Amino acid sequence: MNATIEKEKTMTQIKVPLLDLKKQYRRIRREVQREIRKVLESQELILGPEVKRFEEETASFCEVSHAVGVASGTDALLLSLMALDVGNGDRVVTSPYTFFATGGCISRLGAIPVFVDIEPRTCNLDPDRLEQVMKKLSGKNKRPTVLMPVHLYGQMADMAALMPIARRYGMRVVEDAAQAIGARENSFRHGRGREAIAGAVGDLGCFSFYPTKNLGGVGEGGMVITDDAALAEKIRILRNHGMNPRYHHRMIGINSRLDSLEAAVLRIKLRNLRRWTEERRENAARYRALFKEEDLWPPQVSLPEERKGAYHIYNQFVIRAENRDALRDHLSRKGIGTEIYYPVPLHLQECYQTLGYREGSFPEAEKAARETLALPIFPELTERQQRCVVKAIKEFFTTESTEPTEKKI
Ligand SMILES: Cc1ncc(COP(=O)(O)O)c(C=O)c1O
């Protein structure tokens, strides 16, 4: 008996970080060091052959014709909007529940973000609400020209429903696939009858290689993918100060070149990406089984839902709980890392007060901001660590459910 209690105790006491990048690095260390050395020896540090190869390999991975390496996911979005000539006073529709960069890029061009609430099951832009907003705006001169859906946490937004709405209202589509490289949707065929792949459905798709992403670099990096040769060429020019040929500037661009060291490391990681994604998915499946086993799901928490036909890549495994903040504090005391993506929706950010939205404008995004909690899901997470996470959550709800009774007494 004592031994069991002792075992239970140690189970809930090992530390579990939200993400352990050192473990991933150890799997590929030798290869990474060799390739970095090669780049250093070559002294071709910006763009160059490594970037070109990485672009070709990413295009092939996503089954598109063109990929353009840029300096960050933020720049991938910014350059995509620039390539579509988005500017002063233009309107771009997107989700209010995303990382700030999605909205920030729109505003930096003098354009105006038009937010549409999310569907609560996936936290992605809700196609029904989009249709309602577009109906309201049609006929007015405020019609948005671009739709920017976000594939939050690694699951594609409902592109089968969103694309026809975008086309009906004449909107170009830029996918914010920063968190979703490799995500797919096999129930939705598009283009040449192929399976929908994150980033490859709209006119342009954007990835981030920020180190916490499934394909994370050793610094900043991003990529734009497209099947449109003219757009790809424009982005290539825009990422290098609008220069073509050398020192002749056809348009006003920015400095957003991907560097060769980054590309060399990302090429190694890209070769491992399918396996690492599968490991994340296995971890997600194990969480589901463990939460069920402990009778936590339902009712105490809800787990991320996969839409039918969706291949979720689990950049984040985000649960929802009404008493999220107390749960997070409890897990933190147990040495378990979690994060809130995101505590404040974009329409309630201080810098967006001028847009005229207020509390209550997007109830689903606001509710998500109060309830979401990301748990550790990285590929190298062990079963023991996962059991610890779930045990600690169980402990929280067990003590919590006894607290009100004690208070009543
Ligand atoms: C949804 C979303 N969009 C855009 C970005 C911006 O990417 P980056 O950090 O590479 O600029 C991120 C990355 O954090 C993101 O999660």
Side-chain angles (χ1 to χ4, degrees), residues 293-314:
E293 222 172 272
E294 297 288 356
D295 284 328
L296 287 164
W297 171 54
Q300 273 98 345
V301 299
S302 56
L303 301 190
E305 276 190 41
E306 287 186 14
R307 279 191 314 105
K308 198 165 171 284
Y311 183 84
H312 195 322
I313 61 146
Y314 289 103

Side-chain angles (χ1 to χ4, degrees), residues 39-236:
V39 173
L40 291 178
E41 289 302 325
S42 78
Q43 282 298 300
E44 293 202 71
L45 300 172
I46 304 286
L47 298 174
E50 280 301 316
V51 171
K52 189 164 184 295
R53 277 182 221 122
F54 178 49
E55 287 175 341
E56 285 162 5
E57 287 158 5
T58 306
S60 157
F61 182 84
C62 296
E63 299 177 29
V64 292
S65 324
H66 311 277
V68 186
V70 298
S72 67
T74 304
D75 277 2
L77 294 170
L78 185 73
L79 287 161
S80 294
L81 294 178
M82 287 169 77
L84 294 174
D85 297 321
V86 169
N88 234 347
D90 289 336
R91 280 164 172 79
V92 177
V93 185
T94 193
S95 162
Y97 201 57
T98 173
F99 179 58
F100 180 74
T102 318
C105 295
I106 300 167
S107 307
R108 276 176 63 191
L109 294 172
I112 301 161
V114 174
F115 297 122
V116 170
D117 211 354
I118 53 168
E119 39 175 33
R121 290 182 315 123
T122 60
C123 290
N124 278 328
L125 208 145
D126 183 338
D128 293 336
R129 288 187 167 96
L130 174 65
E131 180 86 62
Q132 286 163 16
V133 169
M134 293 309 293
K135 265 189 197 144
K136 244 194 243 163
L137 293 177
S138 76
K140 301 188 179 162
N141 60 357
K142 293 176 176 173
R143 258 202 20 218
T145 50
V146 175
L147 172 67
M148 202 148 84
V150 182
H151 304 318
L152 202 68
Y153 306 142
Q155 173 163 237
M156 286 180 73
D158 186 355
M159 297 302 283
L162 293 172
M163 286 303 290
I165 302 173
R167 295 307 185 217
R168 204 164 341 111
Y169 289 96
M171 287 188 286
R172 307 300 293 273
V173 177
V174 176
E175 293 174 66
D176 182 343
Q179 301 181 6
I181 191 161
R184 303 193 297 270
E185 170 119 18
N186 60 34
S187 54
F188 173 40
R189 310 252 144 207
H190 73 109
R192 288 159 268 161
R194 62 191 181 184
E195 180 184 45
I197 293 174
V201 181
D203 298 286
L204 295 151
C206 302
F207 298 124
S208 160
F209 303 129
Y210 188 76
T212 59
K213 300 295 191 276
N214 287 26
L215 183 61
V218 284
E220 306 272 1
M223 185 81 78
V224 182
I225 61 166
T226 184
D227 271 325
D228 185 321
L231 282 178
E233 179 59 13
K234 195 167 173 187
I235 290 171
R236 265 181 219 290

Side-chain angles (χ1 to χ4, degrees), residues 302-359:
S302 56
L303 301 190
E305 276 190 41
E306 287 186 14
R307 279 191 314 105
K308 198 165 171 284
Y311 183 84
H312 195 322
I313 61 146
Y314 289 103
N315 178 235
Q316 302 297 342
F317 186 88
V318 176
I319 66 167
R320 289 177 71 151
E322 278 177 18
N323 33 10
R324 185 264 325 266
D325 292 337
L327 172 61
R328 185 172 193 222
D329 288 345
H330 171 81
L331 294 177
S332 162
R333 281 193 297 275
K334 295 271 164 198
I336 294 168
T338 59
E339 190 49 273
I340 300 168
Y341 301 115
Y342 296 93
V344 184
L346 297 196
H347 67 287
L348 298 181
Q349 293 289 349
E350 189 182 337
C351 63
Y352 275 148
Q353 290 320 292
T354 47
L355 290 178
Y357 298 109
R358 59 195 132 67
E359 196 121 12

